[in-house]
Amino acid sequence: TAAARTDASVFIVGETGTGKELLAKAIHLKSDRSNQPFIAVNCAAIPKELMESELFGYKKGSFTGAMKDHDGLFMAANMGTIFLDEIGEMPRDLQVKILRVLEEHKIRPIGYTSEIPVNIRIIAASNRSIEQLKNTYLREDLFFRLAVVVIELPPLRERREDIPLLTQYFITKFNEKYSRNIKGVTEGVFTSLYRYHFPGNIRELENLIEGI
């Protein structure tokens, strides 16, 4: 994709299960950073009080329970790509720190007195609309720094032409995972897939194929 040929920040929006992380990884693998780490972070799954230490790391003794130095996820992604899924759930005070990473290319782990340079591409994603993100969930300055390239992923029910390719991809994936040899699905199964609404999007299709 065009997004992969640049180092610009990317914002992917789409319903839950539309394949935002798959797309983010595809962008990474087609970029000049493909041999470097790809770190996926679900911001909604990390307790808000732990998010800063998980992302930025900390110095031993900087707070109760900090028994040793800890590199955060930004350091783990250094030279590569970090994917911040559901970034709209991130607290506002932490959004300021993300903005600084984008502007200054530096992080400051908890307990450090100086900043550490990092070279990271940020890909963000959300299941909320662009208007909701700009008006309610994200600082406007952060949104515009992240949304250099915006990709809107339509739900699977609006791109049914992708169903055959996705079905074969998941068949191949689970053949390898479970050492099985399924060649494909019948025409009747395809007809049922085309008619189905897929409220769970690509993730639901993946689960259906895994259960074959």
Side-chain angles (χ1 to χ4, degrees):
T1 65
R5 294 196 294 268
T6 76
D7 216 26
S9 300
V10 178
F11 209 125
I12 305 170
V13 292
E15 291 181 9
T16 298
T18 48
K20 296 186 288 294
E21 184 174 339
L22 283 174
L23 177 57
K25 191 158 192 179
I27 292 171
H28 169 75
L29 291 174
K30 290 186 177 183
S31 74
D32 292 339
R33 298 176 182 267
S34 59
N35 292 326
Q36 301 298 329
F38 174 84
I39 304 295
V41 184
N42 185 340
C43 298
I46 303 174
K48 287 180 170 56
E49 64 272 16
L50 299 179
M51 196 174 291
E52 182 177 1
S53 61
E54 285 296 306
L55 290 175
F56 293 98
Y58 51 82
K59 188 177 182 65
K60 177 182 176 181
S62 57
F63 56 86
T64 302
M67 306 301 292
K68 60 180 181 179
D69 290 355
H70 172 69
D71 288 339
L73 295 170
F74 274 101
M75 281 302 298
N78 197 24
M79 304 306 296
T81 302
I82 190 164
F83 173 57
L84 300 176
D85 196 10
E86 302 307 340
I87 193 170
E89 311 311 308
M90 183 177 289
R92 289 268 174 159
D93 58 340
L94 197 52
Q95 290 181 27
V96 176
K97 296 179 184 292
I98 302 297
L99 183 63
R100 183 161 180 78
V101 176
L102 287 161
E103 292 178 341
E104 304 292 336
H105 308 289
K106 295 175 181 177
I107 63 170
R108 180 179 288 176
I110 298 172
Y112 278 62
T113 56
S114 58
E115 295 180 312
I116 300 172
V118 289
N119 181 346
I120 298 172
R121 184 186 198 176
I122 296 179
I123 301 179
S126 178
N127 62 9
R128 302 189 185 279
S129 71
I130 290 174
E131 289 305 311
Q132 285 178 314
L133 290 165
K134 285 195 297 185
N135 297 331
T136 306
Y137 292 94
L138 287 180
R139 291 172 54 98
E140 190 175 48
D141 50 2
L142 176 60
F143 175 81
F144 284 113
R145 286 305 299 248
L146 289 169
V148 178
V149 178
V150 177
I151 301 174
E152 295 190 59
L153 273 181
L156 186 56
R157 62 185 174 274
E158 294 179 9
R159 48 183 171 123
R160 296 179 189 275
E161 67 276 5
D162 290 345
I163 289 175
L165 185 63
L166 288 166
T167 298
Q168 194 55 53
Y169 169 78
F170 291 132
I171 286 173
T172 301
K173 173 182 176 179
F174 293 122
N175 277 348
E176 293 174 358
K177 182 176 181 179
Y178 298 119
S179 300
R180 61 194 192 187
N181 190 32
I182 296 173
K183 299 297 185 184
V185 297
T186 65
E187 187 174 337
V189 171
F190 263 131
T191 300
S192 297
L193 292 176
Y194 272 112
R195 290 176 177 172
Y196 185 53
H197 189 64
F198 281 106
N201 289 298
I202 292 175
R203 190 173 301 159
E204 185 175 7
L205 174 62
E206 181 177 11
N207 291 342
L208 286 171
I209 300 304
E210 184 173 15
I212 289 177

PDB file of all heavy atoms in Angstrom, residues 63-76:
ATOM      1  N   PHE A  63       8.640   3.586  42.018  1.00  0.00           N
ATOM      2  CA  PHE A  63       7.352   3.486  42.706  1.00  0.00           C
ATOM      3  C   PHE A  63       7.295   2.132  43.408  1.00  0.00           C
ATOM      4  O   PHE A  63       8.124   1.246  43.152  1.00  0.00           O
ATOM      5  CB  PHE A  63       6.166   3.661  41.741  1.00  0.00           C
ATOM      6  CG  PHE A  63       6.165   2.691  40.581  1.00  0.00           C
ATOM      7  CD1 PHE A  63       5.599   1.433  40.692  1.00  0.00           C
ATOM      8  CD2 PHE A  63       6.733   3.059  39.366  1.00  0.00           C
ATOM      9  CE1 PHE A  63       5.610   0.548  39.627  1.00  0.00           C
ATOM     10  CE2 PHE A  63       6.740   2.183  38.296  1.00  0.00           C
ATOM     11  CZ  PHE A  63       6.174   0.922  38.423  1.00  0.00           C
ATOM     12  N   THR A  64       6.340   1.964  44.309  1.00  0.00           N
ATOM     13  CA  THR A  64       6.207   0.716  45.046  1.00  0.00           C
ATOM     14  C   THR A  64       5.987  -0.443  44.069  1.00  0.00           C
ATOM     15  O   THR A  64       5.108  -0.401  43.221  1.00  0.00           O
ATOM     16  CB  THR A  64       5.016   0.787  46.018  1.00  0.00           C
ATOM     17  OG1 THR A  64       5.215   1.885  46.901  1.00  0.00           O
ATOM     18  CG2 THR A  64       4.901  -0.501  46.824  1.00  0.00           C
ATOM     19  N   GLY A  65       6.820  -1.449  44.176  1.00  0.00           N
ATOM     20  CA  GLY A  65       6.714  -2.601  43.288  1.00  0.00           C
ATOM     21  C   GLY A  65       7.679  -2.565  42.121  1.00  0.00           C
ATOM     22  O   GLY A  65       7.813  -3.565  41.401  1.00  0.00           O
ATOM     23  N   ALA A  66       8.374  -1.434  41.922  1.00  0.00           N
ATOM     24  CA  ALA A  66       9.365  -1.353  40.842  1.00  0.00           C
ATOM     25  C   ALA A  66      10.678  -1.938  41.334  1.00  0.00           C
ATOM     26  O   ALA A  66      11.579  -1.227  41.783  1.00  0.00           O
ATOM     27  CB  ALA A  66       9.540   0.100  40.403  1.00  0.00           C
ATOM     28  N   MET A  67      10.776  -3.266  41.254  1.00  0.00           N
ATOM     29  CA  MET A  67      11.918  -3.979  41.837  1.00  0.00           C
ATOM     30  C   MET A  67      13.150  -3.978  40.938  1.00  0.00           C
ATOM     31  O   MET A  67      14.254  -4.256  41.379  1.00  0.00           O
ATOM     32  CB  MET A  67      11.519  -5.428  42.146  1.00  0.00           C
ATOM     33  CG  MET A  67      10.277  -5.558  43.015  1.00  0.00           C
ATOM     34  SD  MET A  67      10.448  -4.727  44.608  1.00  0.00           S
ATOM     35  CE  MET A  67      11.675  -5.748  45.386  1.00  0.00           C
ATOM     36  N   LYS A  68      12.967  -3.669  39.667  1.00  0.00           N
ATOM     37  CA  LYS A  68      14.097  -3.597  38.737  1.00  0.00           C
ATOM     38  C   LYS A  68      13.716  -2.691  37.574  1.00  0.00           C
ATOM     39  O   LYS A  68      12.541  -2.378  37.368  1.00  0.00           O
ATOM     40  CB  LYS A  68      14.467  -4.992  38.215  1.00  0.00           C
ATOM     41  CG  LYS A  68      13.344  -5.694  37.466  1.00  0.00           C
ATOM     42  CD  LYS A  68      13.794  -7.063  36.988  1.00  0.00           C
ATOM     43  CE  LYS A  68      12.652  -7.759  36.213  1.00  0.00           C
ATOM     44  NZ  LYS A  68      13.069  -9.086  35.715  1.00  0.00           N
ATOM     45  N   ASP A  69      14.719  -2.254  36.822  1.00  0.00           N
ATOM     46  CA  ASP A  69      14.439  -1.441  35.638  1.00  0.00           C
ATOM     47  C   ASP A  69      13.585  -2.242  34.661  1.00  0.00           C
ATOM     48  O   ASP A  69      13.737  -3.460  34.520  1.00  0.00           O
ATOM     49  CB  ASP A  69      15.739  -1.045  34.940  1.00  0.00           C
ATOM     50  CG  ASP A  69      16.537  -0.030  35.747  1.00  0.00           C
ATOM     51  OD1 ASP A  69      16.041   0.434  36.786  1.00  0.00           O
ATOM     52  OD2 ASP A  69      17.666   0.287  35.329  1.00  0.00           O
ATOM     53  N   HIS A  70      12.686  -1.538  33.995  1.00  0.00           N
ATOM     54  CA  HIS A  70      11.782  -2.210  33.055  1.00  0.00           C
ATOM     55  C   HIS A  70      11.672  -1.399  31.771  1.00  0.00           C
ATOM     56  O   HIS A  70      11.286  -0.233  31.801  1.00  0.00           O
ATOM     57  CB  HIS A  70      10.398  -2.370  33.694  1.00  0.00           C
ATOM     58  CG  HIS A  70       9.344  -2.875  32.743  1.00  0.00           C
ATOM     59  ND1 HIS A  70       9.345  -4.156  32.239  1.00  0.00           N
ATOM     60  CD2 HIS A  70       8.259  -2.244  32.190  1.00  0.00           C
ATOM     61  CE1 HIS A  70       8.300  -4.307  31.434  1.00  0.00           C
ATOM     62  NE2 HIS A  70       7.631  -3.159  31.384  1.00  0.00           N
ATOM     63  N   ASP A  71      12.051  -2.000  30.651  1.00  0.00           N
ATOM     64  CA  ASP A  71      11.859  -1.353  29.355  1.00  0.00           C
ATOM     65  C   ASP A  71      10.391  -1.460  28.963  1.00  0.00           C
ATOM     66  O   ASP A  71       9.812  -2.542  29.001  1.00  0.00           O
ATOM     67  CB  ASP A  71      12.708  -2.029  28.274  1.00  0.00           C
ATOM     68  CG  ASP A  71      14.183  -1.725  28.425  1.00  0.00           C
ATOM     69  OD1 ASP A  71      14.518  -0.714  29.077  1.00  0.00           O
ATOM     70  OD2 ASP A  71      15.002  -2.503  27.887  1.00  0.00           O
ATOM     71  N   GLY A  72       9.812  -0.356  28.589  1.00  0.00           N
ATOM     72  CA  GLY A  72       8.419  -0.374  28.177  1.00  0.00           C
ATOM     73  C   GLY A  72       8.255  -0.819  26.732  1.00  0.00           C
ATOM     74  O   GLY A  72       9.221  -1.163  26.042  1.00  0.00           O
ATOM     75  N   LEU A  73       7.014  -0.776  26.262  1.00  0.00           N
ATOM     76  CA  LEU A  73       6.702  -1.264  24.926  1.00  0.00           C
ATOM     77  C   LEU A  73       7.250  -0.363  23.825  1.00  0.00           C
ATOM     78  O   LEU A  73       7.551  -0.831  22.729  1.00  0.00           O
ATOM     79  CB  LEU A  73       5.183  -1.423  24.785  1.00  0.00           C
ATOM     80  CG  LEU A  73       4.585  -2.501  25.705  1.00  0.00           C
ATOM     81  CD1 LEU A  73       3.062  -2.435  25.695  1.00  0.00           C
ATOM     82  CD2 LEU A  73       5.058  -3.892  25.298  1.00  0.00           C
ATOM     83  N   PHE A  74       7.411   0.933  24.119  1.00  0.00           N
ATOM     84  CA  PHE A  74       8.036   1.804  23.126  1.00  0.00           C
ATOM     85  C   PHE A  74       9.493   1.425  22.894  1.00  0.00           C
ATOM     86  O   PHE A  74       9.959   1.416  21.748  1.00  0.00           O
ATOM     87  CB  PHE A  74       7.926   3.275  23.545  1.00  0.00           C
ATOM     88  CG  PHE A  74       6.643   3.930  23.133  1.00  0.00           C
ATOM     89  CD1 PHE A  74       5.612   4.104  24.050  1.00  0.00           C
ATOM     90  CD2 PHE A  74       6.444   4.354  21.830  1.00  0.00           C
ATOM     91  CE1 PHE A  74       4.423   4.700  23.667  1.00  0.00           C
ATOM     92  CE2 PHE A  74       5.250   4.948  21.440  1.00  0.00           C
ATOM     93  CZ  PHE A  74       4.233   5.112  22.364  1.00  0.00           C
ATOM     94  N   MET A  75      10.187   1.091  23.953  1.00  0.00           N
ATOM     95  CA  MET A  75      11.574   0.646  23.779  1.00  0.00           C
ATOM     96  C   MET A  75      11.624  -0.692  23.053  1.00  0.00           C
ATOM     97  O   MET A  75      12.518  -0.939  22.222  1.00  0.00           O
ATOM     98  CB  MET A  75      12.272   0.539  25.133  1.00  0.00           C
ATOM     99  CG  MET A  75      12.736   1.865  25.697  1.00  0.00           C
ATOM    100  SD  MET A  75      13.875   2.770  24.617  1.00  0.00           S
ATOM    101  CE  MET A  75      15.257   1.624  24.541  1.00  0.00           C
ATOM    102  N   ALA A  76      10.668  -1.557  23.346  1.00  0.00           N
ATOM    103  CA  ALA A  76      10.623  -2.857  22.665  1.00  0.00           C
ATOM    104  C   ALA A  76      10.403  -2.694  21.168  1.00  0.00           C
ATOM    105  O   ALA A  76      10.848  -3.516  20.364  1.00  0.00           O
ATOM    106  CB  ALA A  76       9.524  -3.729  23.270  1.00  0.00           C
TER     107      ALA A  76
END
